[in-house]
Amino acid sequence: MIENISVQEAIALFQHQWQPQGMEVIPLEEANTRILGDTLYAKESIPVVRASMMDGIAIKGDNYTKDPSHWVYGKDYIRADTGDDFSDDFDTVIAIEKVNMEDGKLSWREDFPFEKGMNVRHRGSTIKENTLLLEKGSRLNATALALLAMGNHGEVKVYKKPKVVFIPTGSELVGVGTKLSRGENIDSNSPMAEVLLEDFGAVPILYPITKDDPESLRAAVKKALKEGDMVLINGGSSKGEEDFNLRILEEMGEVFFHWTQCGPGRPAAMAKIENKPVFIVPGPAYGCFNVLQWLIGPCIRYLTGAQEPYYYKVKAKLKESVQAPTHFQFLLGAQVERNEEGDLLVNLLSFKKNGVPDCLKANGFVHTKPGMNPFQAGDEIEVNLLKPV
């Protein structure tokens, strides 16, 4: 078992042990946020032949005249609507705003520059057959679905979502909304984990609180291995008297590492039981958030075919100097705001100095890197946004 593993080594070890999920074909309308399993191309051209760019009349360009009063509807001109095809006998469209029809006679409301073929979208002007739409591994969103629909893909092959079971543990834990008694604490990690796991591309399965009892935990893990593709045990990862979760994983399977070079939440662990990944995620809220971000998120993305995290990154100027550990990675909350000039400014928050609530309220976060220089006031740094600014 490796102790004090680095971020890169931990993720590489996971990828060495497990392969991405299989594929499934689903309707396009159900594919939002899914990861594309194939590179897709447009099946046909749009327009299929040609189409009018606007509402107007279609005419024969060679017959254009400044006095069309003698023209006959259906022979010399017809109506043309935006986006619609029209008869091959006609090749040019004149905007309806320039057309006057009185007493059955056609005339122009004003002079305009005329060119044969004007205001007509030709075959494939919107999209051509075999145009590359999206690469395999693309994460689908609203505009991606519109693009695939334009390419006439009613169904898409996507990576299956892994089912991830989250097991909160601790005899002190009670559910949200429970009146606290002495020695009790709220399970605040389950609602956070549910949202993050969905964001990462998984199907979260939240288990009820498991008390600090070895037999109860064994039973919960055995059940979770049947229901899920990955299991997260929340809590019991350190060296306290009731922190026996690691010993149970050693009994049930193979533990690959314990303790990591990324805090808070350094006593995380990864094991393999019945050929499925089982993680211990530390119990303190900001440590849980950190491990979910740097470890669990990348592992889920790997299983779903998406290697890169989906953060909105911005650069902001640091308002105050900050001290943080330099011998391992460390998570800092980042509160980003705009000044009157529209520039982005940021305060970095440590859970030890500023408290967990302020860190959880922050609209972004930053990871320090081992060996980096301390953050100084005025530095421009890159921030991962969690909320719009």
Side-chain angles (χ1 to χ4, degrees):
M1 179 175 64
I2 302 172
E3 291 191 3
N4 204 31
I5 195 170
S6 72
V7 168
Q8 295 78 14
E9 289 173 330
I11 295 171
L13 181 56
F14 179 90
Q15 294 176 350
H16 178 73
Q17 291 294 324
W18 288 280
Q19 297 299 315
Q21 297 280 105
M23 305 282 186
E24 61 181 341
V25 177
I26 62 174
L28 182 65
E29 59 269 21
E30 298 176 9
N32 184 39
T33 75
R34 302 298 293 272
I35 306 301
L36 197 58
D38 280 333
T39 297
L40 293 182
Y41 301 83
K43 291 184 176 181
E44 47 197 318
S45 297
I46 300 176
V48 176
V49 180
R50 60 177 179 182
S52 175
M53 293 176 63
M54 59 189 63
D55 292 343
I57 63 170
I59 71 169
K60 302 172 184 178
D62 290 336
N63 294 346
Y64 172 74
T65 175
K66 290 191 174 183
D67 179 15
S69 59
H70 60 285
W71 281 3
V72 177
Y73 183 82
K75 176 183 177 183
D76 300 298
Y77 71 96
I78 58 173
R79 282 299 304 264
D81 295 324
T82 303
D84 287 350
D85 188 14
F86 51 88
S87 170
D88 291 337
D89 294 336
F90 305 92
D91 56 22
T92 304
V93 172
I94 297 175
I96 196 66
E97 293 83 3
K98 302 183 185 302
V99 175
N100 184 45
M101 297 181 189
E102 290 183 4
D103 300 327
K105 291 185 178 181
L106 189 68
S107 63
W108 310 133
R109 293 181 182 272
E110 58 187 64
D111 289 336
F112 56 87
F114 175 83
E115 182 179 350
K116 180 180 177 180
M118 64 192 294
N119 301 325
V120 175
R121 292 195 295 117
H122 298 286
R123 182 180 188 276
S125 58
T126 296
I127 193 168
K128 288 184 171 61
E129 184 179 358
N130 295 323
T131 295
L132 173 64
L133 300 175
L134 292 171
E135 299 275 4
K136 179 180 179 179
S138 299
R139 190 177 196 238
L140 301 179
N141 60 10
T143 52
L145 297 185
L147 180 61
L148 293 179
M150 189 179 294
N152 208 12
H153 290 275
E155 295 182 326
V156 289
K157 182 187 291 187
V158 295
Y159 285 87
K160 291 181 179 178
K161 286 187 173 187
K163 297 177 181 178
V164 180
V165 179
F166 186 83
I167 308 174
T169 69
S171 297
E172 79 284 4
L173 291 183
V174 295
V176 177
T178 303
K179 178 66 176 177
L180 289 176
S181 299
R182 182 174 179 173
E184 293 181 335
N185 196 6
I186 295 291
D187 171 24
S188 60
N189 289 338
S190 288
M192 175 175 66
E194 182 175 26
V195 173
L196 287 175
L197 292 173
E198 287 180 344
D199 287 346
F200 298 152
V203 177
I205 303 173
L206 301 184
Y207 270 26
I209 296 166
T210 298
K211 301 301 181 182
D212 289 321
D213 169 66
E215 289 307 315
S216 297
L217 181 64
R218 287 191 189 93
V221 171
K222 288 179 181 179
K223 180 184 178 190
L225 289 169
K226 294 178 181 179
E227 293 186 344
D229 303 300
M230 178 188 293
V231 179
L232 308 182
I233 301 171
N234 185 217
S237 63
S238 194
K239 298 179 179 179
E241 183 177 345
E242 295 181 335
D243 292 332
F244 50 75
N245 293 352
L246 186 72
R247 296 194 298 273
I248 291 177
L249 295 193
E250 289 176 326
E251 296 170 6
M252 299 180 70
E254 177 184 3
V255 177
F256 293 111
F257 65 77
H258 183 217
W259 288 81
T260 69
Q261 296 176 28
C262 190
R266 294 186 65 195
M270 183 179 81
K272 179 164 67 174
I273 305 176
E274 298 179 13
N275 205 35
K276 292 184 179 181
V278 180
F279 293 90
I280 297 180
V281 179
Y286 212 52
C288 177
F289 174 75
N290 185 34
V291 173
L292 289 172
Q293 287 287 358
W294 78 258
L295 177 60
I296 305 305
C299 290
I300 290 173
R301 294 185 187 101
Y302 167 75
L303 292 179
T304 61
Q307 302 281 340
E308 296 297 323
Y310 301 107
Y311 297 125
Y312 294 100
K313 296 181 183 292
V314 297
K315 289 190 175 181
K317 189 171 291 187
L318 194 59
K319 295 173 69 174
E320 299 177 359
S321 300
V322 175
Q323 295 293 325
T326 58
H327 56 291
F328 60 88
Q329 278 191 217
F330 193 78
L331 178 73
L332 294 169
Q335 185 59 40
V336 181
E337 60 188 40
R338 293 186 186 273
N339 61 17
E340 293 180 354
E341 290 75 33
D343 300 320
L344 293 180
L345 305 177
V346 60
N347 266 335
L348 294 183
L349 310 172
S350 166
F351 80 98
K352 291 184 177 180
K353 177 182 178 181
N354 304 97
V356 172
D358 279 354
C359 289
L360 290 175
K361 282 191 292 185
N363 55 14
F365 69 91
V366 169
H367 270 123
T368 66
K369 294 181 180 179
M372 70 181 295
N373 294 324
F375 289 117
Q376 302 294 333
D379 288 350
E380 188 174 63
I381 64 172
E382 190 172 71
V383 178
N384 300 303
L385 281 185
L386 295 168
K387 310 168 188 175
V389 177

